[in-house]
Amino acid sequence: DTGVSQNPRHKITKRGQNVTFRCDPISEHNRLYWYRQTLGQGPEFLTYFQNEAQLEKSRLLSDRFSAERPKGSFSTLEIQRTEQGDSAMYLCASSLDPGIFYEQYFGPGTRLTVT
Amino acid sequence: KNQVEQSPQSLIILEGKNCTLQCNYTVSPFSNLRWYKQDTGRGPVSLTIMTFSENTKSNGRYTATLDADTKQSSLHITASQLSDSASYICVVSAKDSNYQLIWGAGTKLIIKP
């Protein structure tokens, strides 16, 4: 296993379209996190899963956003009716629970541009 | 309110020089503090994790310090290399919040030859 992978790496879409991103965590990691990062800022927490259960969602995660982790392995993040304000880097991370400080390992991110 | 503030916002130094980045936090109760390096267009990579009882921790040319009394941390980079050009983000975890990290905005470091 070479780490957390995310696909696609880049996505350009028109306002109003739906987009879906995929994250494959490190295989033995039971926790998976989604973050959003805009230019010049640190990542903002969106949601996290313990196995297949979504345990926490940020207020940033509006009704247009939905995340799933159906079998406790890979996860998808879908944004419906995209808006220009959704343009950002979407980062996925995974960690092991229990683990050392729940250290999170990040993927390379998916950069979304909404035109 | 739990916050992490970093300074400077950006820094340009010549290759081979040393530099120190600062982090102040108001997270309570404190669990641990992390420094991440993030290359442009990539995900963050952990450099160090420090708990309340640790004052200093090194990872190669990176040395992090922590003063839990003043709630300050620093990241010192020795003999900088061009590959050190990146954003360095200070992140603090609160106790009983094992999933949520409070992120600073980062310091953008540029190393010039």
Side-chain angles (χ1 to χ4, degrees):
Chain A
D1 192 300
T2 57
V4 179
S5 62
Q6 293 186 245
N7 288 289
R9 292 293 311 279
H10 303 274
K11 179 71 177 178
I12 300 174
T13 191
K14 291 186 177 178
R15 186 165 51 94
Q17 297 295 304
N18 299 344
V19 294
T20 300
F21 310 141
R22 176 177 170 128
C23 171
D24 288 88
I26 294 172
S27 56
E28 65 268 25
H29 283 186
N30 47 10
R31 286 195 172 192
L32 187 147
Y33 311 78
W34 284 100
Y35 291 86
R36 181 174 68 187
Q37 186 177 26
T38 52
L39 204 61
Q41 298 297 316
E44 298 171 294
F45 170 79
L46 293 177
T47 188
Y48 94 102
F49 293 84
Q50 175 95 5
N51 300 311
E52 65 274 12
Q54 188 173 17
L55 296 187
E56 186 71 27
K57 292 196 294 185
S58 161
R59 287 173 297 173
L60 292 174
L61 213 65
S62 75
D63 291 344
R64 297 184 298 106
F65 288 69
S66 63
E68 293 183 344
R69 195 182 183 198
K71 297 181 181 178
S73 56
F74 74 92
S75 175
T76 58
L77 177 68
E78 181 183 16
I79 308 174
Q80 295 182 327
R81 303 181 304 282
T82 52
E83 301 172 356
Q84 286 189 320
D86 297 332
S87 294
M89 174 79 87
Y90 290 84
L91 293 165
C92 174
S94 69
S95 70
L96 189 61
D97 173 31
I100 299 175
F101 304 121
Y102 304 94
E103 177 159 13
Q104 297 180 21
Y105 296 83
F106 284 82
T110 294
R111 179 162 296 285
L112 173 65
T113 303
V114 181
T115 62
Chain B
K1 182 183 176 183
N2 288 333
Q3 279 188 316
V4 175
E5 295 184 349
Q6 294 187 242
S7 62
Q9 193 172 25
S10 62
L11 182 62
I12 302 174
I13 63 171
L14 293 175
E15 185 180 10
K17 298 296 186 183
N18 303 336
C19 66
T20 300
L21 314 180
Q22 301 292 341
C23 172
N24 295 336
Y25 62 92
T26 57
V27 178
S28 183
F30 173 85
S31 173
N32 59 79
L33 183 146
R34 313 158 191 231
W35 283 93
Y36 281 89
K37 177 186 179 188
Q38 186 173 24
D39 293 315
T40 301
R42 308 290 297 181
V45 174
S46 179
L47 295 175
T48 65
I49 297 179
M50 302 174 70
T51 61
F52 182 89
S53 59
E54 296 175 291
N55 299 121
T56 185
K57 185 169 274 191
S58 291
N59 178 359
R61 294 179 297 100
Y62 301 103
T63 299
T65 65
L66 174 64
D67 186 333
D69 292 330
T70 61
K71 299 186 177 181
Q72 295 180 326
S73 176
S74 66
L75 181 70
H76 186 74
I77 304 174
T78 304
S80 60
Q81 300 175 358
L82 297 178
S83 60
D84 292 333
S85 293
S87 286
Y88 292 83
I89 310 177
C90 176
V91 187
V92 180
S93 176
K95 270 184 187 172
D96 303 325
S97 180
N98 54 45
Y99 68 89
Q100 195 156 2
L101 307 176
I102 296 111
W103 294 76
T107 292
K108 186 171 177 64
L109 176 64
I110 298 172
I111 310 297
K112 293 207 163 184

